[in-house]
Amino acid sequence: MIEAYLLHLLILICIYAILSMSLTLLTGYTGMLNLGHAAFFAIGAYASVLLVMAGFPFWLGFLAAGGVAALFGVLLSIPSLRLRGDFLAIATLAFGEIIRSIMLNWTELTRGPLGIPGIPKPELFGIVFDSMLTYFVLTIVVVLATYVVLKYLLDGKFGIALKAIRENELIAESLGKDVKMLKMQAFAISALFAGFAGSLFAHYITFIDPSSFTLSETVLVLLMVVLGGLGSLVGSIAGAIILILLPEPLRFIGLPSSMVGQLRQIIYAGLLIVLIIKRPKGLFGEQWFGGIVSDSS
Amino acid sequence: MIALELKSISKHFGGVTALENVSFKLEQGKTLGLIGGNGSGKTTLLNVITKMISPNSGEVHFKGKRVDNLPAYKIARLGIGRIFQIGGIFNNMTLLENLFVATNSGNEEEAERILNEVGLVQKKNEKAATLSGGQQRLLEFGRVMIRNDELILLDEPFAGVSEGNCKKIEEVIGKLQKEGKTIILIEHDSKRIKRICNQLIELDEGKLAKKTNID
Ligand SMILES: Nc1ncnc2c1ncn2[C@@H]1O[C@H](COP(=O)(O)OP(=O)(O)O)[C@@H](O)[C@H]1O
Ligand SMILES: [Mg+2]
């Protein structure tokens, strides 16, 4: 029993670690505040579920989750080529709300607010990942793969170019960087991994509905990124671990579950305030996160 | 060979005329001094060459090819580099990272060699924000050097820089000249211009007022 509970937390940590790593590429490195990240998570979840429930194999649903989300990432990058700072943040916020309202209203596809129950557990190479332990192995493998790929990209010239864009687009361009293309790639890669996380989430919980992909989900992931320190992959993982575990003790003090949800929000808000005052660069970060909301040019 | 040619460039900002019908040619390997009072259009001229702004009319040719229809990053890739009047470095990145943005090789040895040439190698892992004004300029020179730019545009590189660093910058410019680079230098000190430049152009309220050969 306690083992199942711990594994459940570990699986959630893994899924959120993928999300927070994907978001730090965009927000931490490139300096583009994305308030619609949960939409990529949602698109991945629905894409994977709809394909698998239509009879396609899990691996295809999983890859499509990333691929479809990446396409939407490219779409969302278009306003980012013109908008900066706060205006971009508002555009991404609108994107998140549009995707959520499509999930709610395109009922033939998504069943709207009723959600999609009975999502099958993944099956790969003849193995069905239907126990907590096997599912944890699956998610940790994806976490490691995500880390390795993003680490390779971000430590190389791609990551340095993204940081240069965060610092000053015009100067990056004057040094030969194709800023529009790089921003598009940053959005696509960020969305790709968020889509993978969506697939893992959906096939784990086995039920999805639009309420799992709201703005507060984005804010939670953003808080993980900020807590760990913008522009740090290890920090993003640490942020996921801390923020998943932090509210857990609330379960054991005998409060009604409706109150637990609200208390959790209060804890997150309080943490954000403490962070801004005490440690604006996060645990592992190099950049103050005020930098992402003010226009750098 | 003509490295750079501007043909009747004009640029207006609303009612302000920043450049009016400016034309000149610059031969490869020569250094052109660009002078003129505050607001006479010097920086705007460099902005037009690097396509950080589009001119209202006129053409820019680099090594015989028209380039003003290209985006800024493509112009940079042709080998046109620039040192900015203000804020030209990436403050929150290390010196090495500042150089790596400028090259695609990511070769650390080469970057260190360049930092050594501009006298900054001992600070290679520090944030660029910690540098003094003159050192920041030298870092920008390092970027131009690692890119091996052929045409180098310098926007008041000596302004507000300590005497020691001015000397160092002049030394670096001398080295670039020996390598055959083509240079445009915006500068107010006439003695320094005479020391460094082969030709001189004066702008007056956006118009080309005077052209002189120095040699
Ligand atoms: N981006 C801009 N928007 C509006 N006006 C500008 C802009 N850039 C320059 N100007 C104006 O154009 C004129 C020339 O400016 P500039 O080229 O910076 O002069 P200089 O470098 O010779 O001091 C000035 O009147 C300046 O105010
Ligand atoms: Mg100027």
Side-chain angles (χ1 to χ4, degrees):
Chain A
M1 190 50 215
I2 178 115
E3 202 182 284
Y5 170 65
L6 289 178
L7 280 169
H8 170 71
L9 290 179
L10 286 173
I11 290 167
L12 285 185
I13 285 170
C14 284
I15 290 169
Y16 279 92
I18 299 166
L19 277 174
S20 61
M21 282 192 280
S22 70
L23 185 60
T24 207
L25 178 140
L26 202 55
T27 298
Y29 275 77
T30 324
M32 295 188 287
L33 183 55
N34 179 10
L35 294 178
H37 206 58
F40 298 140
F41 188 44
I43 289 165
Y46 276 94
S48 181
V49 165
L50 291 173
L51 282 171
V52 170
M53 292 182 82
F56 290 97
F58 172 74
W59 65 264
L60 192 84
F62 180 78
L63 292 181
V68 175
L71 282 180
F72 277 90
V74 170
L75 191 73
L76 182 56
S77 78
I78 293 168
S80 82
L81 307 180
R82 300 204 153 267
L83 302 175
R84 255 170 254 206
D86 310 357
F87 295 102
L88 173 63
I90 291 166
T92 59
L93 185 69
F95 170 76
E97 286 310 299
I98 289 166
I99 295 296
R100 207 169 66 83
S101 88
I102 290 174
M103 293 184 301
L104 274 173
N105 294 302
W106 192 357
T107 46
E108 298 84 24
L109 190 71
T110 65
R111 292 173 36 98
L114 296 176
I116 303 177
I119 299 166
K121 292 286 184 182
E123 189 183 332
L124 274 175
F125 318 113
I127 306 164
V128 183
F129 294 86
D130 56 357
S131 74
M132 295 289 246
L133 188 62
T134 52
Y135 211 96
F136 170 61
V137 172
L138 176 67
T139 51
I140 194 108
V141 166
V142 179
V143 168
L144 291 175
T146 303
Y147 177 81
V148 168
V149 170
L150 291 182
K151 179 90 180 147
Y152 172 78
L153 284 174
L154 293 173
D155 279 355
K157 66 182 181 192
F158 180 66
I160 287 183
L162 295 188
K163 278 204 225 173
I165 289 174
R166 178 186 80 198
E167 294 283 305
N168 192 325
E169 282 179 31
L170 289 177
I171 292 171
E173 194 138 359
S174 81
L175 292 166
K177 296 295 163 206
D178 186 349
V179 170
K180 289 182 179 175
M181 178 55 80
L182 285 160
K183 282 185 172 181
M184 199 176 273
Q185 290 168 343
F187 261 105
I189 295 169
S190 177
L192 176 83
F193 285 100
F196 290 151
S199 171
L200 289 177
F201 174 77
H203 293 271
Y204 173 61
I205 303 290
T206 68
F207 171 78
I208 52 170
D209 71 347
S211 72
S212 302
F213 309 104
T214 57
L215 175 64
S216 65
E217 203 68 10
T218 297
V219 170
L220 174 59
V221 179
L222 195 60
L223 197 51
M224 291 171 178
V225 166
V226 169
L227 176 66
L230 286 163
S232 162
L233 287 175
V234 173
S236 302
I237 297 173
I241 295 171
I242 293 168
L243 287 189
I244 293 294
L245 296 183
L246 193 68
E248 283 306 311
L250 292 180
R251 281 182 200 277
F252 305 107
I253 52 178
L255 289 170
S257 64
S258 62
M259 261 181 86
V260 170
Q262 283 166 359
L263 258 179
R264 185 181 309 211
Q265 298 299 325
I266 292 171
I267 289 182
Y268 289 151
L271 186 70
L272 186 59
I273 292 168
V274 171
L275 203 62
I276 290 172
I277 295 168
K278 291 285 182 195
R279 208 172 163 88
K281 289 184 179 181
L283 299 176
F284 296 83
E286 48 179 48
Q287 190 213 0
W288 179 54
F289 65 89
I292 58 172
V293 275
S294 60
D295 195 338
S296 63
S297 71
Chain B
M1 192 174 117
I2 302 298
L4 179 73
E5 179 171 9
L6 269 63
K7 296 185 180 175
S8 342
I9 296 286
S10 294
K11 177 68 195 177
H12 312 277
F13 295 105
V16 178
T17 301
L19 293 172
E20 195 177 330
N21 213 13
V22 173
S23 304
F24 66 84
K25 291 179 190 174
L26 179 57
E27 229 176 281
Q28 188 147 7
K30 298 282 188 209
T31 299
L32 172 75
L34 187 56
I35 59 171
N38 241 336
S40 61
K42 305 180 297 296
T43 298
T44 303
L45 189 74
L46 301 194
N47 281 336
V48 166
I49 296 171
T50 57
K51 197 61 184 296
M52 301 207 36
I53 60 172
S54 297
N56 295 105
S57 60
E59 297 178 5
V60 180
H61 293 246
F62 178 59
K63 296 203 292 186
K65 233 182 74 186
R66 187 168 176 190
V67 296
D68 54 273
N69 38 21
L70 298 176
Y73 75 92
K74 283 196 177 159
I75 289 182
R77 288 179 186 179
L78 294 175
I80 299 181
R82 177 163 182 188
I83 285 171
F84 291 86
Q85 187 166 3
I86 43 163
I89 57 162
F90 303 112
N91 277 315
N92 292 309
M93 295 166 70
T94 66
L95 273 59
L96 279 178
E97 285 178 322
N98 265 270
L99 292 193
F100 288 150
V101 178
T103 135
N104 275 328
S105 75
N107 180 337
E108 191 157 337
E109 271 168 45
E110 193 193 1
E112 282 187 23
R113 181 180 60 76
I114 299 269
L115 282 179
N116 196 32
E117 273 190 56
V118 296
L120 294 172
V121 72
Q122 68 285 358
K123 291 179 177 266
K124 62 181 179 176
N125 289 319
E126 284 178 42
K127 291 273 157 70
T130 63
L131 299 179
S132 73
Q135 289 172 324
Q136 297 189 356
R137 289 303 165 75
L138 284 161
L139 178 59
E140 286 188 74
F141 272 98
R143 275 194 328 218
V144 162
M145 287 156 79
I146 205 164
R147 279 166 46 81
N148 204 12
D149 286 314
E150 289 180 54
L151 173 64
I152 300 166
L153 311 173
L154 307 174
D155 201 343
E156 306 196 23
F158 299 100
V161 172
S162 74
E163 215 171 297
N165 281 329
C166 279
K167 251 177 124 176
K168 183 80 198 165
I169 288 174
E170 229 176 280
E171 199 184 298
V172 171
I173 293 176
K175 207 176 274 171
L176 293 169
Q177 289 175 315
K178 272 205 199 91
E179 291 169 7
K181 310 295 190 195
T182 311
I183 298 173
I184 297 181
L185 169 66
I186 299 179
E187 171 59 23
H188 291 294
D189 181 340
S190 56
K191 274 192 209 144
R192 189 177 277 134
I193 287 191
K194 280 193 186 127
R195 265 202 313 273
I196 300 176
C197 302
N198 313 109
Q199 302 166 29
L200 195 61
I201 278 182
E202 184 175 347
L203 285 178
D204 183 16
E205 294 184 357
K207 292 195 215 45
L208 207 157
K210 211 158 80 185
K211 252 191 237 186
T212 347
N213 280 328
I214 294 180
D215 303 315

PDB file of all heavy atoms in Angstrom, chain A residues 82-98:
ATOM      1  N   ARG A  82       6.687  38.145 -33.624  1.00  0.00           N
ATOM      2  CA  ARG A  82       6.351  39.570 -33.650  1.00  0.00           C
ATOM      3  C   ARG A  82       6.206  40.154 -32.247  1.00  0.00           C
ATOM      4  O   ARG A  82       6.481  41.322 -32.032  1.00  0.00           O
ATOM      5  CB  ARG A  82       5.024  39.786 -34.383  1.00  0.00           C
ATOM      6  CG  ARG A  82       5.083  39.307 -35.793  1.00  0.00           C
ATOM      7  CD  ARG A  82       4.056  40.020 -36.669  1.00  0.00           C
ATOM      8  NE  ARG A  82       4.514  40.060 -38.045  1.00  0.00           N
ATOM      9  CZ  ARG A  82       5.195  41.056 -38.561  1.00  0.00           C
ATOM     10  NH1 ARG A  82       5.497  42.112 -37.834  1.00  0.00           N
ATOM     11  NH2 ARG A  82       5.584  41.022 -39.809  1.00  0.00           N
ATOM     12  N   LEU A  83       5.751  39.313 -31.318  1.00  0.00           N
ATOM     13  CA  LEU A  83       5.446  39.839 -29.981  1.00  0.00           C
ATOM     14  C   LEU A  83       6.583  39.538 -29.021  1.00  0.00           C
ATOM     15  O   LEU A  83       7.283  38.554 -29.148  1.00  0.00           O
ATOM     16  CB  LEU A  83       4.161  39.196 -29.449  1.00  0.00           C
ATOM     17  CG  LEU A  83       2.920  39.392 -30.299  1.00  0.00           C
ATOM     18  CD1 LEU A  83       1.767  38.597 -29.728  1.00  0.00           C
ATOM     19  CD2 LEU A  83       2.568  40.869 -30.375  1.00  0.00           C
ATOM     20  N   ARG A  84       6.708  40.385 -28.034  1.00  0.00           N
ATOM     21  CA  ARG A  84       7.756  40.197 -27.043  1.00  0.00           C
ATOM     22  C   ARG A  84       7.201  40.381 -25.637  1.00  0.00           C
ATOM     23  O   ARG A  84       6.163  40.987 -25.448  1.00  0.00           O
ATOM     24  CB  ARG A  84       8.833  41.240 -27.253  1.00  0.00           C
ATOM     25  CG  ARG A  84      10.068  40.650 -27.889  1.00  0.00           C
ATOM     26  CD  ARG A  84      10.968  41.750 -28.292  1.00  0.00           C
ATOM     27  NE  ARG A  84      10.905  41.891 -29.732  1.00  0.00           N
ATOM     28  CZ  ARG A  84      11.881  42.385 -30.448  1.00  0.00           C
ATOM     29  NH1 ARG A  84      12.955  42.823 -29.848  1.00  0.00           N
ATOM     30  NH2 ARG A  84      11.776  42.461 -31.746  1.00  0.00           N
ATOM     31  N   GLY A  85       7.947  39.850 -24.686  1.00  0.00           N
ATOM     32  CA  GLY A  85       7.659  40.134 -23.278  1.00  0.00           C
ATOM     33  C   GLY A  85       6.210  39.859 -22.913  1.00  0.00           C
ATOM     34  O   GLY A  85       5.667  38.800 -23.200  1.00  0.00           O
ATOM     35  N   ASP A  86       5.599  40.828 -22.292  1.00  0.00           N
ATOM     36  CA  ASP A  86       4.252  40.662 -21.755  1.00  0.00           C
ATOM     37  C   ASP A  86       3.247  40.326 -22.847  1.00  0.00           C
ATOM     38  O   ASP A  86       2.308  39.562 -22.633  1.00  0.00           O
ATOM     39  CB  ASP A  86       3.794  41.954 -21.059  1.00  0.00           C
ATOM     40  CG  ASP A  86       4.840  42.467 -20.083  1.00  0.00           C
ATOM     41  OD1 ASP A  86       5.862  41.787 -19.918  1.00  0.00           O
ATOM     42  OD2 ASP A  86       4.625  43.532 -19.501  1.00  0.00           O
ATOM     43  N   PHE A  87       3.435  40.879 -24.044  1.00  0.00           N
ATOM     44  CA  PHE A  87       2.469  40.638 -25.109  1.00  0.00           C
ATOM     45  C   PHE A  87       2.509  39.189 -25.570  1.00  0.00           C
ATOM     46  O   PHE A  87       1.484  38.584 -25.854  1.00  0.00           O
ATOM     47  CB  PHE A  87       2.738  41.585 -26.285  1.00  0.00           C
ATOM     48  CG  PHE A  87       2.518  43.018 -25.927  1.00  0.00           C
ATOM     49  CD1 PHE A  87       3.588  43.853 -25.655  1.00  0.00           C
ATOM     50  CD2 PHE A  87       1.226  43.523 -25.828  1.00  0.00           C
ATOM     51  CE1 PHE A  87       3.386  45.163 -25.300  1.00  0.00           C
ATOM     52  CE2 PHE A  87       1.011  44.837 -25.466  1.00  0.00           C
ATOM     53  CZ  PHE A  87       2.100  45.668 -25.201  1.00  0.00           C
ATOM     54  N   LEU A  88       3.711  38.640 -25.617  1.00  0.00           N
ATOM     55  CA  LEU A  88       3.835  37.231 -25.969  1.00  0.00           C
ATOM     56  C   LEU A  88       3.165  36.368 -24.899  1.00  0.00           C
ATOM     57  O   LEU A  88       2.455  35.412 -25.206  1.00  0.00           O
ATOM     58  CB  LEU A  88       5.308  36.833 -26.113  1.00  0.00           C
ATOM     59  CG  LEU A  88       5.544  35.335 -26.323  1.00  0.00           C
ATOM     60  CD1 LEU A  88       4.912  34.864 -27.619  1.00  0.00           C
ATOM     61  CD2 LEU A  88       7.031  35.018 -26.327  1.00  0.00           C
ATOM     62  N   ALA A  89       3.374  36.727 -23.647  1.00  0.00           N
ATOM     63  CA  ALA A  89       2.772  35.968 -22.549  1.00  0.00           C
ATOM     64  C   ALA A  89       1.250  35.936 -22.698  1.00  0.00           C
ATOM     65  O   ALA A  89       0.609  34.894 -22.517  1.00  0.00           O
ATOM     66  CB  ALA A  89       3.172  36.576 -21.206  1.00  0.00           C
ATOM     67  N   ILE A  90       0.676  37.065 -23.081  1.00  0.00           N
ATOM     68  CA  ILE A  90      -0.779  37.119 -23.246  1.00  0.00           C
ATOM     69  C   ILE A  90      -1.218  36.245 -24.426  1.00  0.00           C
ATOM     70  O   ILE A  90      -2.225  35.536 -24.353  1.00  0.00           O
ATOM     71  CB  ILE A  90      -1.238  38.590 -23.429  1.00  0.00           C
ATOM     72  CG1 ILE A  90      -1.046  39.334 -22.099  1.00  0.00           C
ATOM     73  CG2 ILE A  90      -2.695  38.649 -23.864  1.00  0.00           C
ATOM     74  CD1 ILE A  90      -1.131  40.836 -22.217  1.00  0.00           C
ATOM     75  N   ALA A  91      -0.445  36.263 -25.508  1.00  0.00           N
ATOM     76  CA  ALA A  91      -0.786  35.429 -26.662  1.00  0.00           C
ATOM     77  C   ALA A  91      -0.756  33.947 -26.290  1.00  0.00           C
ATOM     78  O   ALA A  91      -1.636  33.176 -26.687  1.00  0.00           O
ATOM     79  CB  ALA A  91       0.173  35.707 -27.816  1.00  0.00           C
ATOM     80  N   THR A  92       0.249  33.538 -25.483  1.00  0.00           N
ATOM     81  CA  THR A  92       0.330  32.126 -25.103  1.00  0.00           C
ATOM     82  C   THR A  92      -0.805  31.754 -24.151  1.00  0.00           C
ATOM     83  O   THR A  92      -1.331  30.647 -24.207  1.00  0.00           O
ATOM     84  CB  THR A  92       1.678  31.806 -24.421  1.00  0.00           C
ATOM     85  OG1 THR A  92       1.818  32.617 -23.252  1.00  0.00           O
ATOM     86  CG2 THR A  92       2.850  32.061 -25.365  1.00  0.00           C
ATOM     87  N   LEU A  93      -1.182  32.722 -23.319  1.00  0.00           N
ATOM     88  CA  LEU A  93      -2.313  32.505 -22.419  1.00  0.00           C
ATOM     89  C   LEU A  93      -3.577  32.247 -23.238  1.00  0.00           C
ATOM     90  O   LEU A  93      -4.348  31.313 -22.975  1.00  0.00           O
ATOM     91  CB  LEU A  93      -2.490  33.757 -21.549  1.00  0.00           C
ATOM     92  CG  LEU A  93      -3.528  33.729 -20.443  1.00  0.00           C
ATOM     93  CD1 LEU A  93      -3.082  32.785 -19.346  1.00  0.00           C
ATOM     94  CD2 LEU A  93      -3.730  35.130 -19.864  1.00  0.00           C
ATOM     95  N   ALA A  94      -3.782  33.067 -24.266  1.00  0.00           N
ATOM     96  CA  ALA A  94      -4.952  32.911 -25.130  1.00  0.00           C
ATOM     97  C   ALA A  94      -4.911  31.562 -25.839  1.00  0.00           C
ATOM     98  O   ALA A  94      -5.932  30.871 -25.943  1.00  0.00           O
ATOM     99  CB  ALA A  94      -4.996  34.046 -26.157  1.00  0.00           C
ATOM    100  N   PHE A  95      -3.734  31.171 -26.292  1.00  0.00           N
ATOM    101  CA  PHE A  95      -3.590  29.876 -26.962  1.00  0.00           C
ATOM    102  C   PHE A  95      -4.048  28.745 -26.032  1.00  0.00           C
ATOM    103  O   PHE A  95      -4.812  27.865 -26.427  1.00  0.00           O
ATOM    104  CB  PHE A  95      -2.127  29.686 -27.372  1.00  0.00           C
ATOM    105  CG  PHE A  95      -1.784  28.314 -27.855  1.00  0.00           C
ATOM    106  CD1 PHE A  95      -2.154  27.907 -29.129  1.00  0.00           C
ATOM    107  CD2 PHE A  95      -1.087  27.419 -27.043  1.00  0.00           C
ATOM    108  CE1 PHE A  95      -1.835  26.631 -29.591  1.00  0.00           C
ATOM    109  CE2 PHE A  95      -0.773  26.147 -27.493  1.00  0.00           C
ATOM    110  CZ  PHE A  95      -1.148  25.753 -28.760  1.00  0.00           C
ATOM    111  N   GLY A  96      -3.582  28.783 -24.790  1.00  0.00           N
ATOM    112  CA  GLY A  96      -3.970  27.759 -23.830  1.00  0.00           C
ATOM    113  C   GLY A  96      -5.478  27.694 -23.638  1.00  0.00           C
ATOM    114  O   GLY A  96      -6.070  26.611 -23.585  1.00  0.00           O
ATOM    115  N   GLU A  97      -6.100  28.872 -23.561  1.00  0.00           N
ATOM    116  CA  GLU A  97      -7.556  28.904 -23.357  1.00  0.00           C
ATOM    117  C   GLU A  97      -8.308  28.416 -24.596  1.00  0.00           C
ATOM    118  O   GLU A  97      -9.335  27.746 -24.493  1.00  0.00           O
ATOM    119  CB  GLU A  97      -8.003  30.326 -22.975  1.00  0.00           C
ATOM    120  CG  GLU A  97      -7.630  30.703 -21.548  1.00  0.00           C
ATOM    121  CD  GLU A  97      -8.044  29.637 -20.534  1.00  0.00           C
ATOM    122  OE1 GLU A  97      -9.257  29.349 -20.415  1.00  0.00           O
ATOM    123  OE2 GLU A  97      -7.154  29.054 -19.868  1.00  0.00           O
ATOM    124  N   ILE A  98      -7.785  28.746 -25.778  1.00  0.00           N
ATOM    125  CA  ILE A  98      -8.429  28.294 -27.019  1.00  0.00           C
ATOM    126  C   ILE A  98      -8.392  26.770 -27.111  1.00  0.00           C
ATOM    127  O   ILE A  98      -9.399  26.114 -27.383  1.00  0.00           O
ATOM    128  CB  ILE A  98      -7.739  28.928 -28.258  1.00  0.00           C
ATOM    129  CG1 ILE A  98      -8.063  30.423 -28.319  1.00  0.00           C
ATOM    130  CG2 ILE A  98      -8.192  28.236 -29.542  1.00  0.00           C
ATOM    131  CD1 ILE A  98      -7.185  31.196 -29.286  1.00  0.00           C
TER     132      ILE A  98
END
